[in-house]
Amino acid sequence: ANSVVDLGELLQYLARGHQAPEVLAARASQRIMRVRRNIQMAFAQMAGDESDVRRLFEKIDLDSSNRLSEYEFEGFVREDLKLSHWDVMSADLTEFYHFLDRDGDGIDIAEFLDYVKRVTKTKGELGAQTFAALPTVEPGALRRPKPRQTYK
């Protein structure tokens, strides 16, 4: 889909070789859920009401366009939320940005507020029990098929 290859993706390919599309889709879904959980936990630590969130949005919006670009959003996640590349890979963060940006023109204050409100509603639900809500993958779907032995 995107032309950038993340180092983690390259290493995974080198270690495992070509993967079936359903396995890749299951892993992508798991990554997105992990990114959402990491960002939700970081957002949940932020206390404040709507006016605090609006002030934060203005601080993040470096060019005062009333929309967060991918660059501004990544800076916020890395610097303010303190999520490293190990916590959230760049490709996963880009996917999450597009998840938040519903209309494709940058994250506006309404989209940002909506997400922060949803996170603060689920503040008590974050943690180990969150794993119970993760989508399940059919048993064996992530296993590599055993190589066939050939005899000469």
Side-chain angles (χ1 to χ4, degrees):
N2 97 24
S3 61
V4 177
V5 175
D6 191 272
L7 178 60
E9 292 172 330
L10 176 63
L11 292 174
Q12 186 177 29
Y13 178 79
L14 292 174
R16 294 191 177 99
H18 179 71
Q19 299 287 307
E22 58 274 0
V23 172
L24 294 175
R27 284 196 176 127
S29 176
Q30 288 176 336
R31 280 195 331 264
I32 285 296
M33 292 301 290
R34 186 184 68 240
V35 169
R36 286 181 189 168
R37 193 184 84 251
N38 285 345
I39 290 178
Q40 281 179 338
M41 289 190 322
F43 265 110
Q45 293 173 2
M46 297 173 14
D49 57 6
E50 185 173 323
S51 63
D52 291 335
V53 175
R54 287 181 182 276
R55 278 194 295 279
L56 174 63
F57 184 88
E58 289 173 10
K59 177 186 161 214
I60 301 167
D61 184 18
L62 300 174
D63 62 358
S64 301
S65 64
N66 294 323
R67 300 196 180 286
L68 298 181
S69 66
E70 283 187 56
Y71 173 79
E72 292 166 329
F73 184 71
E74 182 170 2
F76 164 67
V77 168
R78 302 285 183 219
E79 295 167 23
D80 296 327
L81 296 182
K82 309 267 188 259
L83 293 175
S84 71
H85 290 277
W86 293 109
D87 297 318
V88 179
M89 290 193 298
S90 293
D92 297 338
L93 185 58
T94 298
E95 284 182 50
F96 187 73
Y97 172 85
H98 291 292
F99 165 77
L100 289 180
D101 181 21
R102 293 183 297 252
D103 53 11
D105 62 352
I107 300 172
D108 60 34
I109 186 67
E111 292 165 330
F112 192 72
L113 273 171
D114 180 54
Y115 183 73
V116 172
K117 286 177 185 175
R118 281 187 284 152
V119 167
T120 53
K121 252 190 236 179
T122 61
K123 198 181 240 188
E125 300 171 16
L126 298 175
Q129 67 271 26
T130 306
F131 288 108
L134 291 176
T136 57
V137 178
E138 289 185 34
L142 298 180
R143 275 193 222 122
R144 285 178 41 185
K146 291 183 180 180
R148 294 184 194 177
Q149 289 185 338
T150 56
Y151 299 97
K152 292 186 181 182

